[in-house]
């Protein structure tokens, strides 16, 4: 009788057989590429802590969207950086706001590419928090909901295919759903950043979007990294309020949360392989300490294995190219 291990080894011997019995697949069709578009920018500005990623002018974002589509990646996740910021973050819901302009331009040039609009105020507020502040500088949940709902509607009017709230205010999914429905956008889905942890891995993004809070931190509204059951409760609330896809963010330190949410909700799950996760791999690869291609494909596969249907990654374009060659 063969040892069970021998049986597994038999299946590993030939590449074709190994591929046939592979449990998890990764393809460009699973990926989403984040795009940073900045108002009134003349030329791309490289983001220092994210080698290979830049803040793009409007035309650059449209060109980037074209590259993404040509690689077989189905969607971009749009982040806007406005020319000016204020206390309320009014650039977020302006009809001619940068995300609205970019959405229109990208949809006109590449109608089949899905535009997912990130919805948050922190890129637009002068204080860098994700909501309105009271006199003591604390985020006011309920008053913020109205501004988020307004932003969602303006993004949908601009042609966004999916609205992705990343602010973590309580009740936002319900408020956004109601506002979208009231404006006739009953078919526009909500991809909710449901389990968004207060993470050190957002550092490079905040440099990119100029959205680091000017005082305090986000622990008041983002989740404690120690909590997985709470993530399930957050996800459940968003499901009840009408979320269509649930997101876990960051991805790698929270693979267990991805698995549990996928099992518990039965909804499609997205995972965000965030800026700091990208920066770590880039830095180690630049130092010659690891093989970037192998590390990225292993990482993205592991996020899929944990239960994510959709993986949002700054490595999406690279991965799509590498996958074409395998
Ligand atoms: C906005 C937002 C953040 C990210 C996505 N949306 C930053 C934050 O919460 O500070 C981070 C994405 C990344 O690090 O790649 N709230």
């Amino acid at each position: 009788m063969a040892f069970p291990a021998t049986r597994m080894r038999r299946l590993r011997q030939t590449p074709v057989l190994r591929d046939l019995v592979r449990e998890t697949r990764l393809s460009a069709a699973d990926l989403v590429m984040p795009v940073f578009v900045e108002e009134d920018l003349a030329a791309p500005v490289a983001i220092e802590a994210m080698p290979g990623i830049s803040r793009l002018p409007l035309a650059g974002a449209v060109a980037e969207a074209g590259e993404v589509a040509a690689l077989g990646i189905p969607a971009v996740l749009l982040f806007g950086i406005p020319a000016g910021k204020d206390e309320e973050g009014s650039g977020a819901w302006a009809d001619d706001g940068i995300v609205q302009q970019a959405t229109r331009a990208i949809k006109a040039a590449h109608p089949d590419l899905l535009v997912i609009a990130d919805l948050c105020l922190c890129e637009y507020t002068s204080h860098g928090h994700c909501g309105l502040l009271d006199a003591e500088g604390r985020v006011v949940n309920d008053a913020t909901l109205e501004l988020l709902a307004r932003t969602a509607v303006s993004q949908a009017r601009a042609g966004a295919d999916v609205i992705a709230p990343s602010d973590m205010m309580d009740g936002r999914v319900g408020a956004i759903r109601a506002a979208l429905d009231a404006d006739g956008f009953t078919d526009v889905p909500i991809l909710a950043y449901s389990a968004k942890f207060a993470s050190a891995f957002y550092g490079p993004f905040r440099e990119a979007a100029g959205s680091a809070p000017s005082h305090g931190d986000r622990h008041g509204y983002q989740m404690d990294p120690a909590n997985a059951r709470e993530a399930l409760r957050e996800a459940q609330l968003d499901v009840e309020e009408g979320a269509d896809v649930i997101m876990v963010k960051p991805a790698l330190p929270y693979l267990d949360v991805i698995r549990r949410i996928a099992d518990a909700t039965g909804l499609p799950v997205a995972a965000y392989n965030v800026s700091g996760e990208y920066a770590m791999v880039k830095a180690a690869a630049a130092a010659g300490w690891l093989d970037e291609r192998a590390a990225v494909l292993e990482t993205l596969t592991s996020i899929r294995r944990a239960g994510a249907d959709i993986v949002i990654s700054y490595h999406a374009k690279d991965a799509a190219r590498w996958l074409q060659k395998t």
Side-chain angles (χ1 to χ4, degrees), residues 245-259:
V245 183
I246 302 294
M247 197 198 299
V248 176
K249 175 182 170 192
L252 282 186
Y254 303 98
L255 293 177
D256 57 324
V257 176
I258 295 172
R259 164 53 57 204

Side-chain angles (χ1 to χ4, degrees), residues 79 118 120 122 130 166 196 201-202 205-206 218 222 249 272 274-275 314:
F79 291 97
D118 182 89
C120 194
C122 65
C130 303
S166 66
K196 178 169 176 182
F201 292 100
Y202 306 149
F205 173 95
R206 292 178 189 172
R218 301 211 205 289
Q222 297 183 352
K249 175 182 170 192
Y272 199 145
V274 300
S275 58
Y314 300 98

Side-chain angles (χ1 to χ4, degrees), residues 83-279:
K85 308 192 185 212
D86 58 28
E87 291 274 303
E88 290 194 302
S90 61
W93 62 82
D95 279 339
D96 60 349
I98 183 60
V99 161
Q100 289 78 359
Q101 288 185 48
T103 300
R104 281 190 205 98
I106 291 172
K107 289 306 290 184
H110 309 287
D112 294 334
L113 183 74
L114 216 63
V115 171
I116 308 175
D118 182 89
L119 166 49
C120 194
L121 300 182
C122 65
E123 298 105 277
Y124 303 90
T125 51
S126 44
H127 44 74
H129 275 287
C130 303
L132 282 176
L133 300 183
D134 66 13
E136 278 81 52
R138 283 177 311 221
V139 172
V140 190
N141 191 87
D142 295 12
T144 301
L145 297 184
E146 207 256 310
L147 304 183
L148 294 171
R150 206 185 290 177
T151 305
V153 169
S154 83
Q155 291 173 337
R157 283 185 188 156
D161 298 291
V162 178
I163 306 296
S166 66
D167 54 283
M168 284 298 275
M169 297 301 126
D170 292 334
R172 77 223 198 274
V173 172
I176 291 165
R177 183 72 272 156
L180 288 173
D181 290 352
D183 220 72
F185 295 109
T186 48
D187 285 346
V188 173
I190 297 175
L191 193 175
Y193 288 67
S194 302
K196 178 169 176 182
F197 290 88
S199 173
F201 292 100
Y202 306 149
F205 173 95
R206 292 178 189 172
E207 175 209 325
S211 64
S214 57
H215 71 273
D217 54 39
R218 301 211 205 289
H219 284 85
Y221 41 101
Q222 297 183 352
M223 288 186 49
D224 181 344
N227 295 355
R229 288 197 307 268
E230 184 190 352
L232 290 177
R233 292 203 300 277
E234 288 279 5
Q236 199 50 48
L237 284 174
D238 285 356
V239 172
E240 283 159 20
E241 288 177 31
D244 300 282
V245 183
I246 302 294
M247 197 198 299
V248 176
K249 175 182 170 192
L252 282 186
Y254 303 98
L255 293 177
D256 57 324
V257 176
I258 295 172
R259 164 53 57 204
R260 289 173 69 170
I261 287 186
D263 289 346
T265 65
L267 287 187
V269 174
Y272 199 145
N273 181 220
V274 300
S275 58
E277 298 176 78
Y278 176 82

